[in-house]
Amino acid sequence: MSPVKKTRAAARVEQIETIKDVSRRLLAEKGVTGLSLREVAREMGLVSSALYRYFATRDELLTALILDAYNDLGSAVERADRRSVTLSSRRRWHAATRAIRRWAKSHPHEYALIYGTPVPNYVAPELTIEAATRVSGALARILSDDWARRPPTRTTASTANIRTFLIVDNIRELLPDVPPDHYVKALIAWTHVFGFINFELFGQYVGTVRNADVMFDRVMDEIADFLELGD
């Protein structure tokens, strides 16, 4: 590739990052309803048609922001788990869930974009699925690794019964060493992690929780007990 082409490619990447940075600021200031290619172009001092070379529609821009958010959060949680991988399953669980909460509090508007109110008339494309499952995959590995170290156990729940309300094959991919009768417990745990963070970020604990840091650790400890994670 010629130096000129490299320079053009680098300039394109830089402009895309600038567009996304401006878009994140608009999300913080006006919410997702205030985000449009026209508004982003106005903030950048450009005509809106100039942005079409980078993003054909607002939904395409939203998808890029959503992918960035999922991947940034996923990277933060995976780093935390790598640092704690030699520790007990309980301590890995605490490290990973604290990383999720830490990222959410540092990026509240990006968190709201991926875990808050769905964007009206926006349907996320399939290309977001891999990024979206990085966090759940990290939590699932902690539970699956813990089960891999446990003595063999007999499954008591009927897989046929579970299939009436769960997509068993997909969950089995995430939890290869966990027996099916514990899939529901895993999903309950996942729900509690994000339920707490949503309540905290969206003000639902005001007037109830005095110290959210202590409360979060207590809730995650209760969930570790619920999952029977090893010390």
Side-chain angles (χ1 to χ4, degrees):
M1 183 180 290
S2 70
V4 173
K5 288 184 177 179
K6 285 184 179 180
T7 301
R8 287 175 180 169
R12 179 176 177 81
V13 170
E14 183 177 345
Q15 185 71 328
I16 288 172
E17 291 306 312
T18 300
I19 292 168
K20 290 192 291 187
D21 286 343
V22 171
S23 300
R24 292 186 189 99
R25 179 166 58 79
L26 287 173
L27 279 175
E29 294 173 357
K30 302 182 179 182
V32 71
T33 57
L35 181 65
S36 67
L37 292 181
R38 184 181 300 276
E39 187 67 19
V40 174
R42 184 182 297 116
E43 289 290 315
M44 295 177 66
L46 302 172
V47 295
S48 56
S49 59
L51 266 62
Y52 295 148
R53 288 177 290 174
Y54 305 96
F55 298 100
T57 64
R58 186 210 64 159
D59 282 5
E60 191 174 300
L61 172 58
L62 267 179
T63 296
L65 297 176
I66 288 168
L67 280 170
D68 282 356
Y70 275 133
N71 281 318
D72 194 37
L73 173 57
S75 294
V77 177
E78 289 164 358
R79 282 195 302 272
D81 188 45
R82 282 196 299 271
R83 288 194 294 265
S84 62
V85 72
T86 60
L87 304 178
S88 69
S89 298
R90 180 178 291 266
R91 293 179 69 181
R92 281 179 70 187
W93 172 259
H94 275 287
T97 55
R98 284 172 185 161
I100 297 170
R101 178 172 177 255
R102 192 162 49 243
W103 185 92
K105 293 181 70 175
S106 298
H107 305 81
H109 304 292
E110 288 95 326
Y111 179 89
L113 181 63
I114 55 179
Y115 291 113
T117 303
V119 180
N121 302 316
Y122 172 79
V123 178
E126 286 191 11
L127 63 88
T128 61
I129 293 175
E130 182 176 354
T133 56
R134 287 179 66 179
V135 172
S136 56
L139 297 180
R141 278 191 295 276
I142 296 170
L143 182 55
S144 195
D145 289 350
D146 189 78
W147 270 95
R149 292 189 292 270
R150 300 184 192 187
T153 185
R154 184 171 62 86
T155 298
T156 57
S158 166
T159 303
N161 288 341
I162 296 172
R163 287 183 183 276
T164 63
F165 60 94
L166 293 181
I167 305 174
V168 172
D169 294 341
N170 288 352
I171 299 174
R172 184 181 289 119
E173 287 185 20
L174 286 171
L175 300 167
D177 294 301
V178 177
D181 56 349
H182 282 258
Y183 290 172
V184 172
K185 293 183 73 171
L187 289 172
I188 290 171
W190 182 37
T191 302
H192 272 276
V193 173
F194 289 95
F196 184 102
I197 294 170
N198 279 27
F199 264 49
E200 181 182 11
L201 287 188
F202 303 145
Q204 299 302 314
Y205 283 140
V206 173
T208 305
V209 176
R210 185 188 302 277
N211 188 320
D213 294 340
V214 174
M215 178 67 174
F216 182 77
D217 283 347
R218 174 62 183 270
V219 171
M220 292 305 106
D221 220 29
E222 294 279 355
I223 295 301
D225 288 342
F226 176 67
L227 294 172
E228 305 170 49
L229 294 178
D231 290 314

